Each structure stands twice: as C-alpha cells, then as structure tokens.
C-alpha cells in the first residue's frame, strides 16, 4: 500500500539527498510532500551539490532549484506515514526552528519510519530524539550524535543502518542501501 511521506528541506539542502529519494519514493508509488519553513507550495529552495574529491572535507557547488510541494504552515504530521530528512547545509539552521523540532519529535513519539542522511542527523540531535539509538551520518556530526546520547556508527560510504524506526547513512553514496532499508521499514514490497 502506498504511503504518504513528508520530506523537510531548506535552502542549500544537498541536491542528490533531496532529489534522488523524492524520485525513487515516487517511482515505487509513494506520495511525497516536500515542505520548508517559511515557504509555500510552488516556492523553491536552492540546493548544493556536495562531492568527495580528496580534500579534507567535501566540496560544495551550486545545485538546482528544488520545489516545495506543500505548505509548512498548518502542517499536520499525524497525516503522514514517514519522514525523510536530507542533509546538506539546511539542517544546520533548520534545527534552530522549534516547529521543525516538534515535527521531528512527532515521528519518534509515534514510532513512524524516519530516513535521515548525512547532516540531517543534526535535526535529530537538536530534537533530542536519539538517546539510546545507534545511528550514522556524515562523520563530522559524530560528536553531536554522541552528545545527544546515541552511539555513532562509522559506516562505509555505501552502507546504511536501521535501528527501530530510524534508517541513517553517511551521505548520497549510501542511497541504494539507505533507500532499501527505508522501503523495508515502510513495508514496501517490490517484486520482479
């Protein structure tokens, strides 16, 4: 059965971490609503493309316009079956918005599936929902994860980790494993 999913983004969300999951989840029949605080359906956010090119940290290039499909104001999280949190730079400032944190808490309080990748884990830390979880994310977020009471698991770039209702991964190179594990949590069956 198709699920109704929520994706939260902001300006400079990581391009691949927003666009690829949106398209993949829609391709298997799920309904995905994209929201951003302060934006309405039809508005867009700017994205950034992060790459791993041998420097001490990722590089950043301008990405695409990524369109918001639903209004954030008045959003009722109870009407959604799961949450997708991409990384990039947006989690850094979205975590300062109490309405975003309340939204994240809803999905943990109700045990609904959450897929979080890369810097998206910053939202989980700020929402204080990670205590006792094992999770991953971009390596630079490991101190925040530990400070939030979780065990940070350093995964290979192509792996993902599921702990209860939460699927986490390093960054966009993890998409196949991350999305497969999220689809399993959603109960999505793909037959060939």
């Amino acid at each position: 059965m198709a699920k109704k999913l929520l994706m939260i983004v902001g300006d400079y969300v990581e391009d691949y971490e927003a666009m690829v999951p949106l398209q993949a989840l829609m391709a298997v029949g799920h309904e995905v609503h994209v929201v951003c605080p302060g934006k309405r359906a039809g508005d867009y956010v700017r994205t950034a493309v992060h790459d791993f090119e041998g420097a001490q940290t990722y590089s950043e290039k301008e990405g695409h316009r990524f369109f918001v499909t639903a209004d954030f104001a008045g959003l009722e999280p109870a009407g959604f079956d799961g949450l997708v949190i991409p990384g990039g730079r947006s989690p850094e400032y979205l975590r300062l918005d109490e309405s975003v944190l309340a939204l994240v808490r809803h999905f943990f309080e109700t045990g609904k599936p959450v897929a979080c990748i890369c810097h998206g884990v910053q939202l989980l830390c700020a929402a204080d929902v990670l205590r006792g979880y094992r999770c991953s994310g971009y390596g630079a977020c490991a101190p925040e994860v530990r400070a939030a009471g979780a065990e940070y698991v350093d995964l290979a770039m192509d792996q993902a980790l599921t702990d209860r209702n939460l699927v986490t991964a390093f960054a966009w190179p993890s998409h196949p494993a991350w999305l497969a594990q999220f689809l399993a949590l959603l109960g999505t069956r793909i037959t060939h």
Side-chain angles (χ1 to χ4, degrees):
M1 177 159 47
K3 302 290 184 176
K4 184 177 176 185
L5 306 174
L6 184 65
M7 178 186 286
I8 187 159
V9 299
D11 280 317
Y12 298 104
V13 63
E14 208 291 324
D15 193 286
Y16 297 163
E17 293 171 5
M19 188 63 75
V20 172
L22 173 68
Q23 293 174 333
L25 292 165
M26 290 172 62
V28 298
H30 296 304
E31 180 182 338
V32 184
H33 295 251
V34 179
V35 296
C36 175
K39 305 238 181 196
R40 301 178 59 103
D43 291 345
Y44 67 87
V45 296
R46 297 182 183 275
T47 70
V49 175
H50 292 158
D51 209 351
F52 309 99
E53 302 174 305
Q56 292 178 323
T57 190
Y58 57 87
S59 63
E60 184 172 79
K61 299 160 188 68
E62 187 173 358
H64 300 91
R65 290 181 178 181
F66 188 72
F67 286 88
V68 173
T69 63
D71 296 351
F72 184 82
L75 183 71
E76 291 293 334
F80 292 90
D81 301 306
L83 176 65
V84 180
I85 305 173
R89 290 185 26 226
S90 59
E92 176 183 291
Y93 64 86
L94 289 176
R95 65 186 168 168
L96 304 175
D97 185 325
E98 184 53 43
S99 63
V100 170
L101 301 181
L103 177 79
V104 170
R105 286 185 200 109
H106 164 81
F107 286 89
F108 280 83
E109 290 164 358
T110 57
K112 295 178 183 177
V114 175
C116 181
I117 196 163
C118 197
H119 285 79
V121 76
Q122 291 178 310
L123 286 181
L124 305 183
C125 293
D128 195 26
V129 295
L130 285 180
R131 199 162 315 284
Y133 274 85
R134 296 178 73 237
C135 67
S136 191
Y138 188 67
C141 299
E144 289 176 70
V145 168
R146 292 182 189 112
E151 177 188 344
Y152 180 82
V153 180
D154 188 15
L155 298 175
M157 287 179 81
D158 63 348
Q159 296 179 349
L161 172 67
T162 299
D163 185 353
R164 292 167 269 175
N165 67 313
L166 176 63
V167 180
T168 54
F170 171 78
W172 59 260
S174 312
H175 276 159
W178 181 64
L179 286 166
Q181 290 181 37
F182 186 52
L183 290 172
L185 274 183
L186 293 171
T188 306
R189 295 186 54 202
I190 300 172
T191 58
H192 298 278

